[in-house]
Amino acid sequence: MGKGQLRALGAAESCRRDGFYADSVSRAYYAILHGAKAALQLRGMAAESHAVVKRVFGLHVVQPGLVEVEWGTFLGESSDLRLTADYDLRVNQAEFNDGKFASFRDLLAAIVRERELPM
């Protein structure tokens, strides 16, 4: 895992532990985003915008079967969760539970495993 991923994941875990669930979701999403960008860089590709990262990750990492299909979907869902967590003031912090956070961790593990696959 890269420094950006580790830093974002550490912040996410701290926020979750302290009860700041929406902040935890936001930080966890950025850990995932950094991981997806790293997976693309391993293939000689770069993408800067969130939307482009999601699209290119799906095309060049998920569709060829380098990670499980559900992680492509989850990357998009985590983006939606992050937007909700960051901008919807009506959200109950408790909606962002430990189960969803565990899924973020699982996605990062899948991206790390992908690094070990042949290019």
Side-chain angles (χ1 to χ4, degrees):
M1 231 181 273
K3 288 181 184 180
Q5 291 168 273
L6 288 173
R7 187 173 40 253
L9 189 58
E13 288 178 338
S14 294
C15 289
R16 181 186 53 85
R17 189 174 41 251
D18 293 340
F20 299 105
Y21 297 110
D23 295 318
S24 176
V25 167
S26 181
R27 294 292 87 211
Y29 165 72
Y30 280 101
I32 292 167
L33 183 70
H34 292 309
K37 285 175 139 182
L40 294 175
Q41 287 175 348
L42 287 171
R43 293 189 155 47
M45 294 175 254
E48 292 304 317
S49 78
H50 296 230
V52 173
V53 170
K54 289 187 291 187
R55 187 169 54 253
V56 175
F57 181 79
L59 286 172
H60 295 281
V61 178
V62 177
Q63 285 184 3
L66 300 175
V67 295
E68 294 84 358
V69 173
E70 70 255 22
W71 298 129
T73 302
F74 192 68
L75 177 60
E77 290 174 353
S78 66
S79 175
D80 294 343
L81 278 173
R82 195 263 319 175
L83 290 171
T84 299
D86 284 352
Y87 298 110
D88 190 343
L89 299 176
R90 298 166 294 157
V91 171
N92 179 347
Q93 297 263 347
E95 290 178 24
F96 301 103
N97 58 33
D98 289 346
K100 184 59 77 174
F101 189 80
S103 294
F104 280 115
R105 252 190 258 128
D106 291 345
L107 177 56
L108 285 173
I111 292 169
V112 169
R113 279 194 313 274
E114 189 274 337
R115 287 179 175 220
E116 299 167 4
L117 296 173
M119 298 241 207

